[in-house]
Amino acid sequence: MSEVLAHSPSTEVDLESLATDVVSLAMKAGASDAEAVVREGEEFSVTVRLGEVEKLVESGSRALGLRVFRGKRSASATTSDLTADGIRQLVEGALALAHITEEDEFAGLPDAAEFGRYPGDLHLYFDDVNSLPGEERIEMARRAEAAALAYDPRIGSARGASFETSTGRKVLANSRGFVGANRASYVGFGVVPLAKDENGSMQRDYWDSSARRLGDLDSPESVGEEAARRTLRRLGARRMPTQQIPIVFAPETARSFVGLVFDAASGDAIWRHASFLAGKLGEQILSPGLNIIDDSTMILPNGTGGYGTSPFDGEGLPSQRNVVVEDGVLKNYMLNTYAARKLGMKSTHNGARGLAGTPGISAGNLYLEPGTQTPEEIIKAIPRGLYVTSLIGFGVNVVTGDYSRGAAGLWIENGELTHAVEEVTIAGKLADMLRNIRAVGNDVRWRGSVVSPTMRIDGMTLAGA
């Protein structure tokens, strides 16, 4: 039985005027500084299973967030009631909260001279994501699922296939003269097949394709077939005995290490002394020759903006390219304005702003620069090891650097992928693991805002049977 949910904004609103008006109201009501964020968006998603629609969602939303300051006291509030009365209550509520909060000498908006936006068109929005009629969107999901089911008689449908689109607009305005708007689009689909062997054992995997522009999607047939291939290779999985071996991480799992480096280098973790990278600026943390870049201005090879591309950060500072690690050396902590003030440094323009709360810190397009070896060449050099295709659980402590996660993948024997492996744990110390990266592949593919090529790490412990 299908489920249909629907909601959409009923009126057109000038978001820039709304944001600046709310800031003005807050200042007139007694704020010493104010910042408003308005977001609106439309989303469509459909899930099909065995060709039938299971869930269909079309939604629209619009909401407003306000952050106010009274000297060094600050507070925030949000609302989706954009009537005059709703906005009045928002302003009054935020100011009332600010009156009772503790003072913080590091709180406050950035200096006026710091605001700005990256110049030019970053190619983040494309109208064609909404050009397909609803039935054709459903058909894209059906085609992907059908291709997976037709690939091999052992394939069934686990979670079926999905297709989704979203478009959104964000406006940020503050009392120091900054007003910025950003519009972005997204379209994607994927399929999750189920495979069953002759003994009744079942495995599942997935594959998907996404883009900012409809024309950049892979074909539903190629996605379905790849999802089926990945699922079939997991059949016959077994546990392996405990041992210390090289681990090769597929790009889908290697990206987690790039994210961990960013999290550990985040200014919030550094000033709280909650990171194994605290005090390591300028020190070797990765193998020599390795570089990690965070670039919020990136244009992808297909000519569209990256998934983490934006003209300005969550505080209104112009987006930029930051080198996190260069030749294995930690070059920068990743900072918003608050963390920068706490550490006596400058923001790296990594502020992240939701509707509520204070700005956080987030990456733009974060990646480990690729090497020259193919994944096949990396695997061929390993006499005995594990090629990890999926990670399970959250056994990572960035404070101590302890790493222990469940894993599944394919066993490497004499440089060849042999049989599937499951129910094992891989463990080590993050600081040692990062310095023991022995090879990185040439296979970077932008499937998200954090990416990595294939990565080989030596000296890890596999705990199994």
Side-chain angles (χ1 to χ4, degrees):
M1 181 178 178
S2 65
E3 179 183 355
V4 180
L5 308 176
H7 171 72
S8 63
S10 58
T11 57
E12 293 292 327
V13 174
D14 181 342
L15 300 188
E16 286 92 340
S17 295
L18 174 61
T20 55
D21 287 349
V22 170
V23 168
S24 178
L25 286 172
M27 297 298 288
K28 290 176 182 177
S32 57
D33 258 324
E35 175 187 75
V37 179
V38 188
R39 293 179 184 241
E40 69 174 4
E42 295 183 356
E43 297 181 353
F44 170 93
S45 67
V46 62
T47 302
V48 301
R49 188 171 183 274
L50 299 177
E52 297 295 323
V53 174
E54 278 201 334
K55 187 175 183 180
L56 174 66
V57 179
E58 277 191 276
S59 65
S61 62
R62 185 183 294 136
L64 167 66
L66 174 66
R67 185 164 63 125
V68 297
F69 295 87
R70 281 182 156 172
K72 291 298 181 180
R73 303 175 191 269
S74 67
S76 67
T78 66
T79 187
S80 56
D81 179 0
L82 303 186
T83 64
D85 188 54
I87 291 172
R88 177 186 58 79
Q89 291 183 41
L90 174 77
V91 172
E92 291 177 353
L95 285 166
L97 284 172
H99 183 70
I100 60 174
T101 59
E102 295 285 336
E103 287 194 356
D104 187 339
E105 63 177 305
F106 301 102
L109 298 177
D111 295 335
E114 296 181 82
F115 295 113
R117 60 179 293 141
Y118 189 80
D121 184 358
L122 290 171
H123 307 288
L124 302 176
Y125 178 81
F126 296 88
D127 283 320
D128 74 342
V129 299
N130 289 323
S131 64
L132 276 182
E135 186 54 42
E136 291 186 35
R137 302 182 195 190
I138 296 170
E139 187 60 24
M140 289 275 282
R142 284 186 174 131
R143 286 168 58 191
E145 184 189 42
L149 293 172
Y151 189 82
D152 189 282
R154 293 170 292 175
I155 292 287
S157 183
R159 294 182 181 171
S162 62
F163 182 93
E164 58 185 14
T165 65
S166 67
T167 57
R169 190 157 182 258
K170 177 183 74 174
V171 172
L172 174 68
N174 64 41
S175 54
R176 299 193 177 185
F178 177 81
V179 181
N182 183 32
R183 196 179 191 190
S185 58
Y186 170 88
V187 58
F189 68 96
V191 58
V192 183
L194 177 75
K196 183 185 294 187
D197 65 18
E198 61 275 9
N199 299 318
S201 297
M202 294 182 290
Q203 295 285 350
R204 68 182 177 192
D205 212 319
Y206 79 99
W207 195 243
D208 58 23
S209 177
S210 63
R212 290 200 180 276
R213 179 171 54 197
L214 183 66
D216 291 325
L217 291 175
D218 297 333
S219 73
E221 288 72 24
S222 67
V223 170
E225 290 170 3
E226 179 64 12
R229 187 188 71 80
R230 287 171 173 264
T231 302
L232 289 170
R233 72 182 183 179
R234 299 186 67 157
L235 292 177
R238 26 181 141 149
R239 298 178 69 185
M240 298 301 291
T242 297
Q243 55 196 294
Q244 194 172 74
I245 53 171
I247 304 288
V248 179
F249 293 88
E252 296 77 39
T253 53
R255 63 189 293 273
S256 66
F257 288 97
V258 184
L260 284 171
V261 172
F262 185 94
D263 291 344
S266 168
D268 283 342
I270 298 301
W271 72 256
R272 290 188 173 98
H273 303 285
S275 168
F276 74 98
L277 293 183
K280 301 294 184 182
L281 204 60
E283 295 187 16
Q284 194 90 30
I285 65 164
L286 265 67
S287 301
L290 298 184
N291 304 307
I292 294 179
I293 309 298
D294 176 51
D295 187 355
S296 298
T297 71
M298 177 178 286
I299 303 294
L300 299 180
N302 65 8
T304 70
Y307 293 97
T309 297
S310 175
F312 52 88
D313 79 348
E315 297 184 285
L317 306 186
S319 294
Q320 64 184 33
R321 179 182 186 272
N322 295 307
V323 176
V324 186
V325 176
E326 183 176 41
D327 196 20
V329 174
L330 180 62
K331 301 296 288 187
N332 287 294
Y333 291 138
M334 298 292 98
L335 309 171
N336 61 10
T337 298
Y338 185 84
R341 288 171 179 163
K342 292 282 285 188
L343 294 169
M345 304 173 79
K346 288 288 187 182
S347 172
T348 55
H349 301 195
N350 284 97
R353 182 78 163 84
L355 289 175
T358 57
I361 298 172
S362 70
N365 301 290
L366 181 69
Y367 62 100
L368 174 65
E369 286 190 340
T372 58
Q373 292 182 278
T374 65
E376 293 77 14
E377 288 171 335
I378 292 174
I379 291 168
K380 191 174 182 179
I382 296 175
R384 189 175 177 84
L386 179 66
Y387 179 70
V388 175
T389 58
S390 64
L391 292 167
I392 304 160
F394 302 95
V396 184
N397 187 327
V398 296
V399 181
T400 63
D402 291 327
Y403 183 98
S404 177
R405 295 190 67 180
L410 302 169
W411 189 249
I412 303 169
E413 193 74 39
N414 297 322
E416 300 286 341
L417 297 177
T418 56
H419 59 82
V421 175
E422 66 179 359
E423 296 183 15
V424 297
T425 299
I426 53 176
K429 280 284 190 180
L430 269 174
D432 296 333
M433 292 162 60
L434 295 173
R435 286 193 295 267
N436 285 333
I437 297 175
R438 292 291 176 255
V440 294
N442 61 0
D443 53 337
V444 165
R445 182 178 178 186
W446 286 96
R447 294 172 46 80
S449 60
V450 181
V451 301
S452 172
T454 297
M455 177 190 299
R456 170 182 171 172
I457 300 180
D458 286 0
M460 293 188 66
T461 298
L462 179 147

